[in-house]
Amino acid sequence: MIEYQPNSFAGDFDDEELDSLWDHFPWDDFPDGFTPPRIDESYLKHVREFHGGKPVNAYASGHYIERFLNFANPFACPETDQVFNINVIRQCIADRLDDLHMPFAALAHGNYLCFDYNVTPRPSVFFWYHENPIETQQIADDFDSFLASIKGQP
């Protein structure tokens, strides 16, 4: 179980932010009859409960997790929440991010943990390195495996 710093959570979870994120995926580019995946239910449950929280000493495959991204309304939340808004982050790195990848946690130095929605039925979790975004490192088969792999030290 991940421990979070007290008072580190973002403002209210905004379902419109979630819908906006999901609408940016290129589902229309797939063949007729394709059923797009749904956002990972375990992740959604976790992010609703610990919205934008800052973990205490949480490492995933040796990578320090600074903060989980949030779904707060960027026009109605404090600047600290805006900086870690999932849609803001995705737009900032969109030119280097595969269309079916979704960042969900900020790491040190501009790196992120992301979901890979090229994998179905549940997305895998991988490390996205900002200096070489083509090289990714899968760290878990799904979000539940990712949570189980979190360590308190590298």
Side-chain angles (χ1 to χ4, degrees):
M1 182 70 163
I2 300 174
E3 180 183 350
Y4 287 92
Q5 292 182 15
N7 304 315
S8 70
F9 302 107
D12 294 335
F13 186 99
D14 186 342
D15 284 302
E16 289 182 15
E17 281 296 296
L18 173 61
D19 293 344
S20 174
L21 171 75
W22 211 239
D23 288 346
H24 281 85
F25 280 86
W27 307 127
D28 294 339
D29 295 346
F30 288 87
D32 289 340
F34 171 78
T35 303
R38 296 177 47 149
I39 194 158
D40 188 278
E41 291 296 325
S42 292
Y43 164 70
L44 196 54
K45 179 181 176 189
H46 186 88
V47 77
R48 284 183 186 277
E49 184 174 352
F50 304 106
H51 188 223
K54 187 172 184 177
V56 175
N57 296 330
Y59 292 84
S61 295
H63 304 289
Y64 177 69
I65 303 170
E66 287 187 1
R67 182 177 294 271
F68 281 83
L69 302 181
N70 70 69
F71 288 89
N73 180 335
F75 303 106
C77 66
E79 186 176 341
T80 53
D81 290 350
Q82 291 173 9
V83 172
F84 292 102
N85 174 280
I86 196 164
N87 284 314
V88 171
I89 295 297
R90 192 161 197 280
Q91 289 173 6
C92 287
I93 63 175
D95 62 328
R96 297 170 285 150
L97 193 66
D98 183 284
D99 286 343
L100 294 177
H101 291 165
M102 181 183 106
F104 69 88
L107 306 174
H109 313 295
N111 301 316
Y112 293 92
L113 292 176
C114 298
F115 286 117
D116 182 357
Y117 277 95
N118 288 298
V119 180
T120 57
R122 292 185 69 192
S124 61
V125 175
F126 70 92
F127 170 73
W128 183 85
Y129 182 58
H130 79 281
E131 289 186 9
N132 191 356
I134 295 172
E135 281 188 35
T136 61
Q137 172 193 3
Q138 182 175 331
I139 61 171
D141 290 336
D142 55 45
F143 190 71
D144 292 325
S145 301
F146 161 74
L147 287 179
S149 74
I150 300 294
K151 307 272 188 255
Q153 58 188 11

